[in-house]
Amino acid sequence: MILVALPSKPFTYTAKNTVRRQATINDYASEIEELYATVDESMQRDITPPVDWTPENSLAFVREVVGGVLKQPLGDEDDLFLHGCDRCIAIFKFIRTQGSLILAFVSSLQATWIRNSFLNALRTHKPSSSVDIRSIPMNFIYSYPTIAALAKYLSQVAG
């Protein structure tokens, strides 16, 4: 995420000419919250994860998540990356605060949106002790590039 600020709201600096990190974060708190809210809107929270992560339930869930992000039907064995996944999606949002107009830019890959939807489902619909989200590799979408492979992987991780 990148938040572009205008010169009318400059960063503050220390005597060593480095950015005063906490002061700057405090100054931009409302813009940062707005930016996170924009990113949060990109999550597919309306798709209900399976209660039981059987291979069949996982497959149906993965189909729905992938279809929601890619906006096109794919076969279970189709490679996501050969069918449009990973195109950059950009959201530009203007935020008006304290008389300034700030351009907020969020750039996210579809693979990240898919991954985050899966992790959110695992985190919210399983007790945190049963699935260690931190142990799931960042690039698991690339390791399992089909709906069938992702479903099998998620079923194993959650099982």
Side-chain angles (χ1 to χ4, degrees):
M1 290 186 292
I2 300 170
L3 182 69
V4 180
L6 297 175
S8 61
K9 194 171 184 180
F11 292 173
T12 55
Y13 294 89
T14 66
K16 291 183 177 183
N17 205 25
T18 58
V19 174
R20 291 182 59 219
R21 186 172 188 261
Q22 194 58 51
T24 301
I25 290 171
N26 292 343
D27 290 346
Y28 283 89
S30 62
E31 292 87 351
I32 292 168
E33 289 300 319
E34 181 78 22
L35 191 55
Y36 274 108
T38 301
V39 170
D40 198 39
E41 290 170 9
S42 72
M43 295 282 293
Q44 298 184 66
R45 298 189 189 282
D46 57 330
I47 299 174
T48 305
V51 175
D52 182 15
W53 290 85
T54 64
E56 297 80 21
N57 291 345
S58 297
L59 185 60
F61 177 67
V62 171
R63 282 181 190 140
E64 193 171 0
V65 169
V66 170
V69 171
L70 296 184
K71 307 290 188 216
Q72 65 175 321
L74 293 182
D76 293 347
E77 297 298 332
D78 290 342
D79 189 304
L80 303 176
F81 303 103
L82 296 178
H83 289 84
C85 187
D86 224 10
R87 282 186 236 143
C88 198
I89 296 172
I91 300 168
F92 292 94
K93 188 167 187 176
F94 288 97
I95 303 169
R96 184 172 296 282
T97 58
Q98 301 172 354
S100 299
L101 191 62
I102 294 179
L103 172 66
F105 172 70
V106 182
S107 176
S108 180
L109 301 175
Q110 289 172 319
T112 302
W113 286 11
I114 292 168
R115 177 185 182 276
N116 289 346
S117 295
F118 294 154
L119 293 180
N120 183 57
L122 290 169
R123 183 176 20 257
T124 58
H125 290 281
K126 279 291 213 176
S128 59
S129 60
S130 64
V131 179
D132 183 10
I133 301 299
R134 295 170 296 172
S135 68
I136 297 174
M138 295 288 288
N139 63 347
F140 78 90
I141 298 291
Y142 298 98
S143 299
Y144 306 97
T146 67
I147 289 172
L150 283 167
K152 183 178 178 183
Y153 176 73
L154 290 175
S155 180
Q156 290 171 346
V157 166

